[in-house]
Amino acid sequence: MADAFQPYLLLINGPNLNRLGQRDPNTYGTETLADVERRVRQVAQAAGVDVRAFQSNSEGELIDILQREGPEAMGIIINPGAYAHYSYALRDCLADLSTPIVEVHISNVHRREPFRHQLVLSSVVTGQVVGLGTLGYELAAQYLLQVGTRSR
Ligand code: DQA
């Protein structure tokens, strides 16, 4: 008999987010990426849901992961880093998915440099959590656990 499908949230972090905890703590806080992943896992596991977490500094690799793991995920949490401001390739990739997607930004990008005010993924994600620090990832997980259904 085939194994039962184990639902999972896909947690994606883009470029430079591997440096969380060390990179500009005034803006991004002191939690590391491992701390963030642990926190999201705790929330998901309490609901019997797995978390598949990936970080990459490469646009193509992020797209490969999303194409592979996105369609079956219960929901996607993505902090695209600076790709949020200009990656039409990532936008096309997310637009191709029917999975609920929450875009997270740790900092309030609208209070920062003008180039960060443009968010090119906005119209292809379900919603955004912006400026609430690393807590934003946990809030995104809580939302997706409530509304996310396995696509297909
Ligand atoms: C960020 C905001 C982006 O402008 C920046 O390039 C990042 C992190 C955030 O989480 O606040 O790498 O996505």
Side-chain angles (χ1 to χ4, degrees):
M1 202 174 76
D3 286 346
F5 179 81
Q6 176 60 32
Y8 63 91
L9 292 180
L10 185 59
L11 172 59
I12 302 280
N13 277 282
N16 301 305
L17 291 158
N18 54 315
R19 299 269 310 140
L20 269 186
Q22 290 154 297
R23 172 192 182 199
D24 190 0
N26 288 333
T27 303
Y28 299 115
T30 53
E31 271 198 331
T32 64
L33 184 57
D35 293 333
V36 166
E37 290 176 354
R38 195 176 314 117
R39 194 124 73 100
V40 171
R41 275 208 171 85
Q42 271 168 9
V43 172
Q45 274 165 7
V49 171
D50 280 349
V51 175
R52 298 188 190 176
F54 298 90
Q55 187 277 330
S56 175
N57 293 324
S58 314
E59 186 179 35
E61 198 174 354
L62 292 170
I63 291 168
D64 286 342
I65 293 164
L66 283 159
Q67 288 182 356
R68 192 181 68 230
E69 307 283 348
E72 295 287 335
M74 190 176 170
I76 299 170
I77 303 166
I78 181 167
N79 184 342
Y83 287 139
H85 310 306
Y86 67 92
S87 175
Y88 298 119
L90 199 52
R91 186 187 190 285
D92 285 349
C93 172
L94 295 178
D96 196 29
L97 292 167
S98 52
T99 312
I101 303 168
V102 179
E103 178 180 357
V104 172
H105 292 284
I106 297 166
S107 63
N108 183 348
V109 289
H110 302 292
R111 296 179 69 172
R112 299 181 64 195
E113 305 95 316
F115 76 87
R116 295 186 204 274
H117 299 176
Q118 169 164 282
L119 294 172
V120 302
L121 310 179
S122 300
S123 61
V124 297
V125 297
T126 311
Q128 295 165 314
V129 182
V130 176
L132 303 187
T134 47
L135 178 63
Y137 290 95
E138 195 179 318
L139 298 174
Q142 281 168 354
Y143 168 78
L144 289 168
L145 289 166
Q146 282 191 43
V147 306
T149 47
R150 193 182 156 201
S151 56
R152 288 198 317 171

